[in-house]
Amino acid sequence: QVQLVESGGGLVQAGDSLRLSCAASGRTLSSYVVAWFRRAQGKEREFVARISKSGTNTNYADSVLGRFTISRDNAKNTADLQMDSLKPEDTAVYYCAADWTLGWAPVDYNNWGQGTQVTVSS
């Protein structure tokens, strides 16, 4: 199993940017698809973005398309989520997840970080 640790969350104002980072240990991250999910208070965990093992393919939820960018650095065993033009509705706990194959749902991923809180004020 790979261990994942997120960092970079915080409190920002609407329109600001944040960069979340996911650091992996225990296994080489290049063997895994990486995804970001988020869970707002009172809501289900939802898909945000995912990136293929090589980094050549990315997918985004419609709600973040054009504002968020997922990337990875396999040499550093990290994956990032650049979040621009943040909105109050982006407020949530953000989770990094990894697994062998591409998936859209939380159930598709067996390795999770502890999450990092992102709060966007209006």
Side-chain angles (χ1 to χ4, degrees), residues 44-120:
E44 297 291 321
R45 194 172 299 195
E46 65 173 1
F47 170 81
V48 175
R50 69 180 187 184
I51 187 166
S52 61
K53 297 175 185 179
S54 65
T56 55
N57 294 308
T58 58
N59 301 97
Y60 298 90
D62 288 344
S63 58
V64 306
L65 187 63
R67 299 188 298 120
F68 290 12
T69 304
I70 189 171
S71 61
R72 67 190 301 159
D73 187 335
N74 286 337
K76 295 182 178 179
N77 242 23
T78 60
D80 291 350
L81 184 68
Q82 176 67 39
M83 305 186 296
D84 298 320
S85 302
L86 282 162
K87 304 175 181 180
E89 50 263 43
D90 294 318
T91 295
V93 177
Y94 283 71
Y95 299 88
C96 174
D99 214 291
W100 302 108
T101 59
L102 283 170
W104 294 101
V107 70
D108 296 327
Y109 293 83
N110 289 306
N111 302 283
W112 291 85
Q114 81 289 348
T116 185
Q117 176 70 47
V118 172
T119 303
V120 185

